[in-house]
Each structure stands twice: as C-alpha cells, then as structure tokens.
Amino acid sequence: MQSTLHDKELAIKSISLRKNPQFNTAFLTKIVDEFGQNAKQEFAGKVHSEAELLSDKKQEATQLLSKRPTNRSRFGGWAKGPKLEATGYFRTAKYNDKWSLVDPDGYLYLATGIDIIRLANSTTLTGYDFDQALLAKPADAGVTPEDSKGLNQVNKEALKSRFVASQVRKNLFEWLPDYSDPLGKHFGYRKSAHSGPLEHGETYSFYAANLERKYGQNNADYMQKWREVTLDRMITWGFSSLGNWTDPSYYDNQKVPYFANGWIIGDFKTVSSGNDFWGAMPDVFDPEFTVRANETVSVVAKEVKNSPWAVGVFIDNEKALAALILLKAIMVL
C-alpha cells in the first residue's frame, strides 16, 4: 500500500506452514526460446518454427479486412448516427447535452485503440554490456526518452568491448544471434533501465526479429508490410484509433486515426510528491520548462503536419499528480 492517507488494519485469519520445495538450480536457465517465448511451457498460438510463422501470415491475410463496415465513417465514426458540422478535424461537441468526440466528417466518434504500436519497448536485456566511455552520445534535441527511440544500436567501436554483465540474465536465453547474423540487426542498447538488477545494458528485440522472419520473405521492407498488416488488424478487430505512443511512421496512414505523443525533457525544476515512480511533476513556472515545452510542441507539429487523422496529442505520462495537488493547496493557503 503506497501513499495511504489514513491508517490501515490488516487482518490475518489463517497461518499455515509448509516445507520449501526442492530448489531447481536451473530454474532461470534457457527459459526464453529463439522466438522470445516461454521455452518451458506449451500454450495456444505458440510458434515452433519459421514455417509456422509463414503459415500464420497466409492464414491471417485471408481474415483481415482493409475497409471499415458501412456503419462506420472513413475515420471510424458512427456513420448511421447523427451528423454534425464537418470541420475537417477531430473536435469535441455536445449532442443531446452530452459531450462527444466528433470526427472530421461530423460523425460522433468513440476512440478505442491499442497503445505502444512501435518497436520501442519491445526489447529485453540480454545480460551483456559495453564500455560506457565508448558509447555514442545522443545527437537529438532531447525531446524523446531513450526507451521511446527504438533499438538504439551501439557503434562499432563500443561493440569490441562487449562483456557479460550478468551471467544469470545471459543464461535465460536458448538463443541469441551473432552481430554478424542477419537477425543481429535487432540488438540494441539501454543506457538506463527503470527497474531490475541491471542499470543498463545490451538489449534484443525478438519482436523485431519475428517481424523480419514473418514479413521479410521476398520483401525487403518488412517494416512497411508490418504497418500495412497492423492497420488492417485494427480495422478488422473493430478499433477506431491507434492509441498513445504509436510510432510516428504511422502518422501518414490514411486508414486509421491516431494519437500523437511527445515528451517534455530538460533541466527544469520539478515538484516531488514523495513517490515519483514514473517521474515528478514539472514546475510549470520555471522558464526553462516553457522553453522545453515549446521545443516538444514544435517537434510534434512537424510530425503531425496538420493531419486530419490526428485525434489529439498526449504529452508525457503518469507524472506524480500528488505534487500538483500539493502545489495547488499551497497556493490556496
């Protein structure tokens, strides 16, 4: 129980003792197979070979829809419902005294979707690391956190310094490719980890490798094929949008509306709640925050390009709101 405002009582109704089972010293050994799955268990949909991946691709292609049903507008709005003013962009409006989203063509719109449709966050730490002094410094303007930048591959100079940072973590995997292997391109690096035994280290994306295995046959741009299939999946499954943290490469699609996203990163003051799990609230009165916010908005605007398919924009995520409440309370006092 975190940040509880009142005293709590915990009632223990039953206590029993048991002997510890015999410890399996190989419990954390080779538990991840070459496709990134649980190697120790069988389950529905488990992939056992590349041939199964290709078979799944063919079967899926016969099931996917490329157009929405007639009761939906081209943006996924309620085509059989009331028609309001068409402004060419998503907006909010009241209908029958209730607020609703309205799509660019004027139809009432309910946003449903899946977030994090991107390769970022699809990686896992391998147990290897590199000499920190040899890693390349970021060259961007600092508007995107490291975990949202994709694979972040290390440079060739740093690659020579590769070493085992965690034997336990290294032993989790049945298979990892060599860097010279065609699937070696899916290695990456994290300079920081939110939690866990390793603060930083090499990563691998089994998800990206599986995309190449599945869509790379006679298709050089397997990522584009993945995007096309993903859009058709959203339509087939009845989703009306691509949720937050969608890869910007989807922003130019003309089939499924999306939510853009941005991050305000910089050396500005923050207000702590005492439990800043994901991050403290920015001090919005710090002039540096204004500078960084404007920089972020500028980047997002260039990515969206005034597209009518953008439902809205998410900025940052899960800041410690208690800090904001506290700040308001202080201002009132």
Side-chain angles (χ1 to χ4, degrees):
M1 294 179 286
Q2 297 181 346
S3 301
T4 52
L5 298 178
H6 307 284
D7 292 341
K8 303 286 185 180
E9 291 186 0
L10 181 64
I12 301 176
K13 296 182 179 180
S14 175
I15 297 178
S16 60
L17 300 177
R18 68 165 177 81
K19 292 183 178 181
N20 285 332
Q22 184 176 359
F23 180 68
N24 179 8
T25 58
F27 174 67
L28 293 178
T29 302
K30 299 187 183 304
I31 63 174
V32 181
D33 70 14
E34 63 179 307
F35 298 101
Q37 306 165 119
N38 187 333
K40 304 292 187 180
Q41 300 290 332
E42 283 296 314
F43 50 86
K46 185 174 183 178
V47 175
H48 301 86
S49 66
E50 290 192 27
E52 286 188 13
L53 271 179
L54 298 179
S55 175
D56 177 67
K57 178 182 68 173
K58 293 179 181 179
Q59 180 179 356
E60 183 180 49
T62 65
Q63 299 171 342
L64 293 178
L65 304 175
S66 58
K67 293 184 179 180
R68 295 189 180 279
T70 56
N71 64 344
R72 297 293 170 184
S73 72
R74 60 182 177 134
F75 293 99
W78 184 19
K80 302 297 184 180
K83 182 78 157 53
L84 307 186
E85 178 186 0
T87 64
Y89 292 96
F90 281 93
R91 63 188 178 92
T92 58
K94 266 191 173 182
Y95 178 76
N96 286 347
D97 205 35
K98 293 182 179 180
W99 284 104
S100 175
L101 283 169
V102 181
D103 78 12
D105 289 339
Y107 297 102
L108 300 184
Y109 176 82
L110 176 65
T112 60
I114 298 176
D115 66 356
I116 318 181
I117 301 177
R118 62 184 189 184
L119 291 189
N121 306 111
S122 71
T123 61
T124 186
L125 290 165
T126 64
Y128 289 89
D129 208 341
F130 304 89
D131 184 342
Q132 299 293 294
L134 299 178
L135 297 175
K137 301 296 187 292
D140 58 58
V143 298
T144 307
E146 185 194 32
D147 67 352
S148 297
K149 293 180 181 178
L151 296 182
N152 308 318
Q153 295 173 326
V154 300
N155 52 60
K156 292 183 179 179
E157 184 180 2
L159 192 58
K160 299 176 183 178
S161 68
R162 187 177 187 233
F163 66 92
V164 176
S166 169
Q167 191 69 41
V168 172
R169 188 75 186 178
K170 170 183 174 293
N171 291 342
L172 296 182
F173 306 98
E174 285 189 334
W175 170 91
L176 283 173
D178 293 328
Y179 271 79
S180 58
D181 187 280
L183 295 179
K185 66 172 70 68
H186 304 298
F187 278 111
Y189 192 79
R190 283 287 180 85
K191 291 187 176 180
S192 64
H194 182 271
S195 55
L198 291 174
E199 295 182 358
H200 43 71
E202 176 190 82
T203 64
Y204 191 73
S205 174
F206 288 96
Y207 184 74
N210 289 339
L211 290 179
E212 182 172 0
R213 288 163 168 150
K214 187 172 183 178
Y215 300 119
Q217 307 294 322
N218 303 316
N219 183 6
D221 193 356
Y222 60 89
M223 291 297 295
Q224 178 57 33
K225 183 61 178 178
W226 168 64
R227 285 188 285 268
E228 293 172 0
V229 170
T230 298
L231 293 172
D232 287 346
R233 281 178 181 167
M234 296 301 103
I235 292 174
T236 303
W237 295 344
F239 290 111
S240 63
S241 74
L242 307 178
N244 193 20
W245 303 300
T246 292
D247 191 294
S249 64
Y250 281 91
Y251 289 3
D252 288 330
N253 95 83
Q254 304 291 307
K255 296 177 70 172
V256 182
Y258 64 89
F259 288 87
N261 68 88
W263 303 86
I264 303 176
I265 302 172
D267 190 22
F268 45 78
K269 295 180 178 64
T270 59
V271 183
S272 177
S273 69
N275 184 27
D276 305 323
F277 185 71
W278 287 112
M281 282 292 294
D283 181 351
V284 297
F285 301 107
D286 185 343
E288 180 62 18
F289 175 79
T290 301
V291 173
R292 299 309 304 161
N294 286 334
E295 176 67 22
T296 298
V297 170
S298 176
V299 170
V300 174
K302 291 176 182 177
E303 291 175 338
V304 173
K305 294 180 288 191
N306 214 28
S307 170
W309 293 84
V311 184
V313 180
F314 282 94
I315 299 293
D316 285 336
N317 178 51
E318 295 184 17
K319 297 297 184 182
L321 186 60
L324 181 60
I325 296 172
L326 177 62
L327 178 60
K328 286 183 176 180
I330 291 172
M331 292 176 67
V332 169
L333 292 175

